[in-house]
Amino acid sequence: MEITRFNTRNSILNQFLSELRDIHIQTDSLRFRRNIERIGEIMAYEISKELAYGPLAVKTPLSTAVENVPSEQPVIATILRAGIPFHQGFLNYFDHAQNAFVSAYRKYTDEEHFDIHIEYIASPRLTGKTLILTDTMLATGASMEYAYEALRTKGKPACIHIASVIASQQAIEHIQKVFPQDKTHIWCGTIDPELNPHSYIVPGLGDAGDLCYGEKE
């Protein structure tokens, strides 16, 4: 299973990531959402290099040009709600992609323990397609696992790209255990070392959903 960690090399993505983490900047929810979206755009560009391509003849005003273009369009699947601006970043580049949405949320049984609940899924058929499964924060990896199992009811994808802005080392190890080794590629802005007792990523950035859209009850 291949893992691409973007902040190990210099790119403008690191600027957006630093602003997402900054407690003074992240209070601007519009800027916070846009930075997530821009990271999604950068990742979409890199993932586009992994797709199958073929020649396309294009009529110009003067002649005909042949360009090598994607011969397939991926399905972009997102875990609600913090994943929405991340999803939009991918869709800005894969503008002909099909889309899927899964609601996965934590239901706490006590102060430190929770179960993952799936209540909603909307997806096209996935059999034989490239699936890009996105979530802004990959904390334990459980939500990603449950979302994928829900999506599997729509068919078996040919390959899977898992994308997150920040992942924990624990989540990476969990994904490596539960996703198909031979057809899964993980893409993340960075990998943080640990989780706190509430399973939030440390140093992380806080609750991405609340920072995007306001606090929930």
Side-chain angles (χ1 to χ4, degrees):
M1 184 179 296
E2 189 172 355
I3 300 172
T4 298
R5 178 177 172 176
F6 283 83
N7 77 331
T8 58
R9 57 194 183 193
N10 292 332
S11 80
I12 194 62
L13 182 146
N14 294 345
Q15 177 67 41
F16 304 146
L17 182 58
S18 71
E19 293 181 4
L20 287 174
R21 291 191 191 268
D22 191 312
I23 61 173
H24 303 292
I25 297 176
Q26 66 180 205
T27 55
D28 183 343
S29 59
L30 177 60
R31 186 171 176 181
F32 188 85
R33 292 192 303 270
R34 179 58 183 134
N35 280 334
I36 291 175
E37 183 179 350
R38 291 195 286 190
I39 290 175
E41 291 171 345
I42 293 169
M43 289 191 181
Y45 172 76
E46 294 298 328
I47 292 174
S48 74
K49 300 174 184 178
E50 306 294 316
L51 301 180
Y53 281 72
L56 175 68
V58 181
K59 183 68 175 175
T60 79
L62 301 178
S63 184
T64 299
V66 177
E67 303 294 346
N68 215 35
V69 301
S71 55
E72 61 170 327
Q73 288 293 325
V75 177
I76 307 169
T78 295
I79 300 175
L80 304 173
R81 67 179 167 146
I84 295 174
F86 199 35
H87 182 104
Q88 186 60 49
F90 280 85
L91 194 56
N92 288 346
Y93 275 37
F94 294 119
D95 46 312
H96 299 295
Q98 293 181 294
N99 299 272
F101 299 92
V102 180
S103 69
Y105 70 95
R106 298 179 178 186
K107 186 172 184 180
Y108 283 86
T109 55
D110 59 40
E111 197 169 295
E112 297 182 0
H113 300 89
F114 58 86
D115 297 321
I116 301 295
H117 285 251
I118 303 287
E119 288 190 348
Y120 173 83
I121 176 173
S123 173
R125 295 299 302 171
L126 298 175
T127 301
K129 297 179 181 178
T130 295
L131 174 65
I132 302 175
L133 187 48
T134 73
D135 195 10
T136 302
M137 306 293 286
L138 198 58
T140 67
S143 293
M144 191 67 77
E145 176 189 4
Y146 280 81
Y148 176 62
E149 290 303 318
L151 289 166
R152 279 288 306 275
T153 63
K154 305 300 182 180
K156 186 177 181 180
C159 62
I160 306 157
H161 297 279
I162 295 175
S164 71
V165 176
I166 301 177
S168 74
Q169 184 60 43
Q170 178 178 322
I172 295 296
E173 293 170 0
H174 184 74
I175 295 301
Q176 289 176 311
K177 291 177 183 177
V178 301
F179 276 75
Q181 284 284 334
D182 59 340
K183 62 179 184 178
T184 304
H185 188 151
I186 302 173
W187 307 76
C188 50
T190 189
I191 301 173
D192 283 354
E194 60 184 343
L195 300 175
N196 69 12
H198 298 283
S199 294
Y200 278 90
I201 302 172
V202 179
L205 52 74
D207 189 309
D210 286 358
L211 290 166
C212 282
Y213 300 112
E215 294 185 1
K216 57 189 178 296
E217 292 186 1

